[in-house]
Short mmCIF file of all heavy atoms in Angstrom, two decimals:
data_model
loop_
_atom_site.label_atom_id
_atom_site.label_comp_id
_atom_site.label_asym_id
_atom_site.label_seq_id
_atom_site.Cartn_x
_atom_site.Cartn_y
_atom_site.Cartn_z
N LEU A 4 -2.20 -1.89 -6.11
CA LEU A 4 -1.46 -2.94 -6.82
C LEU A 4 -0.42 -3.56 -5.92
O LEU A 4 -0.30 -4.79 -5.85
CB LEU A 4 -0.81 -2.39 -8.09
CG LEU A 4 0.09 -3.37 -8.85
CD1 LEU A 4 -0.68 -4.62 -9.27
CD2 LEU A 4 0.73 -2.68 -10.03
N THR A 5 0.34 -2.75 -5.22
CA THR A 5 1.37 -3.27 -4.32
C THR A 5 0.74 -4.12 -3.23
O THR A 5 1.22 -5.21 -2.92
CB THR A 5 2.18 -2.12 -3.70
OG1 THR A 5 2.71 -1.32 -4.76
CG2 THR A 5 3.30 -2.64 -2.83
N LYS A 6 -0.37 -3.65 -2.68
CA LYS A 6 -1.07 -4.41 -1.64
C LYS A 6 -1.53 -5.75 -2.20
O LYS A 6 -1.39 -6.79 -1.54
CB LYS A 6 -2.26 -3.63 -1.09
CG LYS A 6 -3.01 -4.38 -0.01
CD LYS A 6 -3.87 -3.47 0.80
CE LYS A 6 -4.69 -4.18 1.86
NZ LYS A 6 -4.13 -5.37 2.45
N LEU A 7 -2.06 -5.75 -3.42
CA LEU A 7 -2.50 -7.00 -4.04
C LEU A 7 -1.33 -7.96 -4.20
O LEU A 7 -1.43 -9.14 -3.86
CB LEU A 7 -3.15 -6.73 -5.39
CG LEU A 7 -3.50 -7.96 -6.23
CD1 LEU A 7 -4.46 -8.89 -5.50
CD2 LEU A 7 -4.07 -7.53 -7.57
N LEU A 8 -0.20 -7.48 -4.71
CA LEU A 8 0.97 -8.34 -4.91
C LEU A 8 1.43 -8.94 -3.58
O LEU A 8 1.72 -10.14 -3.51
CB LEU A 8 2.10 -7.55 -5.56
CG LEU A 8 1.88 -7.14 -7.01
CD1 LEU A 8 2.95 -6.14 -7.45
CD2 LEU A 8 1.85 -8.35 -7.92
N VAL A 9 1.48 -8.13 -2.55
CA VAL A 9 1.90 -8.61 -1.22
C VAL A 9 0.89 -9.62 -0.69
O VAL A 9 1.25 -10.70 -0.22
CB VAL A 9 2.08 -7.43 -0.25
CG1 VAL A 9 2.25 -7.92 1.18
CG2 VAL A 9 3.27 -6.58 -0.68
N ASP A 10 -0.39 -9.28 -0.79
CA ASP A 10 -1.43 -10.17 -0.27
C ASP A 10 -1.46 -11.50 -1.01
O ASP A 10 -1.65 -12.56 -0.39
CB ASP A 10 -2.80 -9.50 -0.33
CG ASP A 10 -2.96 -8.37 0.68
OD1 ASP A 10 -2.07 -8.19 1.54
OD2 ASP A 10 -3.98 -7.66 0.60
N LEU A 11 -1.27 -11.47 -2.31
CA LEU A 11 -1.25 -12.72 -3.07
C LEU A 11 -0.11 -13.62 -2.63
O LEU A 11 -0.23 -14.84 -2.62
CB LEU A 11 -1.14 -12.43 -4.57
CG LEU A 11 -2.40 -11.95 -5.26
CD1 LEU A 11 -2.09 -11.47 -6.67
CD2 LEU A 11 -3.46 -13.04 -5.29
N GLY A 12 1.00 -13.01 -2.27
CA GLY A 12 2.14 -13.79 -1.80
C GLY A 12 1.98 -14.35 -0.41
O GLY A 12 2.66 -15.30 -0.03
N ARG A 13 1.06 -13.79 0.34
CA ARG A 13 0.88 -14.19 1.74
C ARG A 13 -0.37 -15.03 2.00
O ARG A 13 -0.45 -15.71 3.01
CB ARG A 13 0.76 -12.94 2.62
CG ARG A 13 2.02 -12.18 2.74
CD ARG A 13 1.83 -11.01 3.66
NE ARG A 13 3.07 -10.27 3.81
CZ ARG A 13 3.18 -9.11 4.38
NH1 ARG A 13 2.10 -8.51 4.87
NH2 ARG A 13 4.34 -8.51 4.48
N ASP A 14 -1.35 -14.93 1.13
CA ASP A 14 -2.67 -15.49 1.42
C ASP A 14 -3.05 -16.52 0.35
O ASP A 14 -3.46 -16.18 -0.75
CB ASP A 14 -3.68 -14.34 1.44
CG ASP A 14 -5.08 -14.75 1.85
OD1 ASP A 14 -5.41 -15.95 1.76
OD2 ASP A 14 -5.84 -13.86 2.25
N ALA A 15 -2.92 -17.79 0.71
CA ALA A 15 -3.20 -18.87 -0.24
C ALA A 15 -4.67 -18.86 -0.68
O ALA A 15 -4.97 -19.19 -1.83
CB ALA A 15 -2.85 -20.22 0.38
N GLU A 16 -5.56 -18.50 0.20
CA GLU A 16 -6.98 -18.45 -0.15
C GLU A 16 -7.24 -17.37 -1.21
O GLU A 16 -7.97 -17.59 -2.17
CB GLU A 16 -7.82 -18.19 1.09
CG GLU A 16 -9.29 -18.39 0.89
CD GLU A 16 -10.06 -18.30 2.20
OE1 GLU A 16 -9.69 -19.01 3.16
OE2 GLU A 16 -11.03 -17.51 2.24
N LEU A 17 -6.64 -16.21 -1.02
CA LEU A 17 -6.76 -15.13 -2.00
C LEU A 17 -6.15 -15.56 -3.32
O LEU A 17 -6.73 -15.32 -4.38
CB LEU A 17 -6.09 -13.85 -1.49
CG LEU A 17 -6.09 -12.68 -2.46
CD1 LEU A 17 -7.51 -12.19 -2.72
CD2 LEU A 17 -5.23 -11.55 -1.92
N GLU A 18 -5.01 -16.20 -3.27
CA GLU A 18 -4.35 -16.67 -4.49
C GLU A 18 -5.24 -17.65 -5.24
O GLU A 18 -5.36 -17.60 -6.47
CB GLU A 18 -3.00 -17.31 -4.13
CG GLU A 18 -2.14 -17.68 -5.31
CD GLU A 18 -2.39 -19.09 -5.78
OE1 GLU A 18 -2.85 -19.92 -4.99
OE2 GLU A 18 -2.13 -19.36 -6.96
N ALA A 19 -5.91 -18.54 -4.52
CA ALA A 19 -6.83 -19.50 -5.15
C ALA A 19 -8.02 -18.77 -5.79
O ALA A 19 -8.44 -19.11 -6.90
CB ALA A 19 -7.31 -20.51 -4.13
N ARG A 20 -8.53 -17.76 -5.10
CA ARG A 20 -9.62 -16.94 -5.66
C ARG A 20 -9.16 -16.23 -6.92
O ARG A 20 -9.89 -16.14 -7.90
CB ARG A 20 -10.11 -15.91 -4.64
CG ARG A 20 -10.99 -16.47 -3.56
CD ARG A 20 -11.53 -15.41 -2.61
NE ARG A 20 -11.99 -14.22 -3.30
CZ ARG A 20 -11.68 -12.97 -2.93
NH1 ARG A 20 -10.93 -12.74 -1.88
NH2 ARG A 20 -12.13 -11.95 -3.62
N TYR A 21 -7.93 -15.71 -6.89
CA TYR A 21 -7.40 -15.01 -8.05
C TYR A 21 -7.27 -15.97 -9.24
O TYR A 21 -7.59 -15.60 -10.36
CB TYR A 21 -6.04 -14.38 -7.73
CG TYR A 21 -5.50 -13.57 -8.89
CD1 TYR A 21 -5.91 -12.27 -9.08
CD2 TYR A 21 -4.64 -14.13 -9.80
CE1 TYR A 21 -5.45 -11.52 -10.16
CE2 TYR A 21 -4.17 -13.40 -10.89
CZ TYR A 21 -4.58 -12.10 -11.06
OH TYR A 21 -4.13 -11.38 -12.12
N ARG A 22 -6.83 -17.18 -8.98
CA ARG A 22 -6.71 -18.16 -10.07
C ARG A 22 -8.06 -18.46 -10.69
O ARG A 22 -8.17 -18.64 -11.90
CB ARG A 22 -6.10 -19.46 -9.56
CG ARG A 22 -4.62 -19.42 -9.40
CD ARG A 22 -4.14 -20.78 -8.95
NE ARG A 22 -2.77 -20.71 -8.55
CZ ARG A 22 -1.84 -21.49 -9.05
NH1 ARG A 22 -2.13 -22.38 -9.97
NH2 ARG A 22 -0.60 -21.38 -8.64
N SER A 23 -9.10 -18.55 -9.88
CA SER A 23 -10.41 -18.91 -10.41
C SER A 23 -11.15 -17.72 -11.00
O SER A 23 -11.96 -17.89 -11.92
CB SER A 23 -11.26 -19.59 -9.34
OG SER A 23 -11.59 -18.69 -8.31
N ASP A 24 -10.91 -16.52 -10.49
CA ASP A 24 -11.62 -15.34 -11.01
C ASP A 24 -10.77 -14.08 -10.82
O ASP A 24 -11.02 -13.28 -9.91
CB ASP A 24 -12.96 -15.19 -10.30
CG ASP A 24 -13.86 -14.14 -10.95
OD1 ASP A 24 -13.41 -13.45 -11.89
OD2 ASP A 24 -15.02 -14.03 -10.51
N PRO A 25 -9.74 -13.91 -11.66
CA PRO A 25 -8.85 -12.76 -11.48
C PRO A 25 -9.58 -11.43 -11.57
O PRO A 25 -9.25 -10.50 -10.82
CB PRO A 25 -7.82 -12.92 -12.59
CG PRO A 25 -8.38 -13.90 -13.54
CD PRO A 25 -9.36 -14.74 -12.80
N ASP A 26 -10.57 -11.32 -12.45
CA ASP A 26 -11.27 -10.04 -12.59
C ASP A 26 -11.96 -9.62 -11.30
O ASP A 26 -11.97 -8.44 -10.95
CB ASP A 26 -12.29 -10.11 -13.74
CG ASP A 26 -11.61 -10.17 -15.09
OD1 ASP A 26 -10.54 -9.54 -15.26
OD2 ASP A 26 -12.15 -10.86 -15.98
N ASP A 27 -12.51 -10.59 -10.58
CA ASP A 27 -13.19 -10.28 -9.32
C ASP A 27 -12.20 -9.74 -8.29
O ASP A 27 -12.47 -8.74 -7.62
CB ASP A 27 -13.89 -11.53 -8.79
CG ASP A 27 -14.71 -11.24 -7.55
OD1 ASP A 27 -15.58 -10.35 -7.59
OD2 ASP A 27 -14.46 -11.90 -6.51
N VAL A 28 -11.05 -10.39 -8.18
CA VAL A 28 -10.04 -9.96 -7.20
C VAL A 28 -9.46 -8.60 -7.60
O VAL A 28 -9.29 -7.71 -6.76
CB VAL A 28 -8.94 -11.02 -7.02
CG1 VAL A 28 -7.81 -10.50 -6.13
CG2 VAL A 28 -9.53 -12.30 -6.45
N LEU A 29 -9.18 -8.43 -8.89
CA LEU A 29 -8.65 -7.14 -9.35
C LEU A 29 -9.65 -6.02 -9.08
O LEU A 29 -9.26 -4.92 -8.68
CB LEU A 29 -8.31 -7.23 -10.84
CG LEU A 29 -7.12 -8.14 -11.17
CD1 LEU A 29 -7.08 -8.45 -12.65
CD2 LEU A 29 -5.82 -7.52 -10.70
N ALA A 30 -10.94 -6.29 -9.27
CA ALA A 30 -11.96 -5.28 -8.99
C ALA A 30 -12.05 -5.01 -7.49
O ALA A 30 -12.19 -3.86 -7.07
CB ALA A 30 -13.31 -5.74 -9.52
N GLU A 31 -11.94 -6.05 -6.69
CA GLU A 31 -11.98 -5.90 -5.23
C GLU A 31 -10.86 -4.99 -4.75
O GLU A 31 -11.06 -4.17 -3.86
CB GLU A 31 -11.86 -7.28 -4.58
CG GLU A 31 -11.86 -7.27 -3.08
CD GLU A 31 -11.68 -8.67 -2.51
OE1 GLU A 31 -12.20 -9.65 -3.10
OE2 GLU A 31 -11.01 -8.78 -1.47
N TYR A 32 -9.69 -5.12 -5.35
CA TYR A 32 -8.54 -4.30 -4.96
C TYR A 32 -8.52 -2.95 -5.68
O TYR A 32 -7.66 -2.12 -5.40
CB TYR A 32 -7.23 -5.06 -5.20
CG TYR A 32 -6.88 -5.96 -4.05
CD1 TYR A 32 -7.54 -7.17 -3.86
CD2 TYR A 32 -5.90 -5.61 -3.13
CE1 TYR A 32 -7.22 -8.01 -2.81
CE2 TYR A 32 -5.58 -6.43 -2.07
CZ TYR A 32 -6.24 -7.64 -1.91
OH TYR A 32 -5.92 -8.45 -0.85
N GLU A 33 -9.46 -2.77 -6.58
CA GLU A 33 -9.60 -1.51 -7.31
C GLU A 33 -8.30 -1.08 -7.99
O GLU A 33 -7.93 0.09 -7.96
CB GLU A 33 -10.13 -0.40 -6.40
CG GLU A 33 -11.50 -0.71 -5.82
CD GLU A 33 -12.01 0.36 -4.88
OE1 GLU A 33 -11.24 1.26 -4.46
OE2 GLU A 33 -13.20 0.29 -4.55
N VAL A 34 -7.63 -2.04 -8.63
CA VAL A 34 -6.43 -1.69 -9.37
C VAL A 34 -6.83 -1.04 -10.68
O VAL A 34 -7.93 -1.28 -11.19
CB VAL A 34 -5.51 -2.91 -9.62
CG1 VAL A 34 -5.05 -3.52 -8.31
CG2 VAL A 34 -6.16 -3.94 -10.50
N SER A 35 -5.96 -0.24 -11.22
CA SER A 35 -6.25 0.44 -12.49
C SER A 35 -6.37 -0.58 -13.62
O SER A 35 -5.90 -1.72 -13.50
CB SER A 35 -5.12 1.42 -12.82
OG SER A 35 -3.94 0.71 -13.14
N ASP A 36 -6.98 -0.15 -14.70
CA ASP A 36 -7.10 -1.02 -15.87
C ASP A 36 -5.72 -1.43 -16.38
O ASP A 36 -5.52 -2.59 -16.76
CB ASP A 36 -7.88 -0.33 -16.99
CG ASP A 36 -9.35 -0.13 -16.66
OD1 ASP A 36 -9.86 -0.81 -15.74
OD2 ASP A 36 -9.99 0.71 -17.32
N GLU A 37 -4.80 -0.50 -16.36
CA GLU A 37 -3.43 -0.78 -16.82
C GLU A 37 -2.76 -1.84 -15.94
O GLU A 37 -2.12 -2.76 -16.43
CB GLU A 37 -2.62 0.51 -16.82
CG GLU A 37 -1.25 0.37 -17.42
CD GLU A 37 -0.48 1.69 -17.44
OE1 GLU A 37 -0.91 2.68 -16.81
OE2 GLU A 37 0.57 1.70 -18.09
#
């Protein structure tokens, strides 16, 4: 989760991917359901 938060703040491409498909990015980072 911390890595995802940091990466989202640093990587505009990742942020755009997250906006279009958050579930895919969350699964990629293997964050917990919570």
Side-chain angles (χ1 to χ4, degrees):
L4 175 59
T5 304
K6 180 163 178 31
L7 173 59
L8 291 169
V9 169
D10 289 352
L11 284 170
R13 291 182 179 170
D14 186 339
E16 192 172 307
L17 177 65
E18 187 269 337
R20 283 183 44 227
Y21 184 83
R22 281 182 191 235
S23 67
D24 190 354
D26 290 325
D27 185 56
V28 173
L29 291 165
E31 179 182 324
Y32 276 76
E33 299 178 348
V34 300
S35 69
D36 291 342
E37 186 179 11

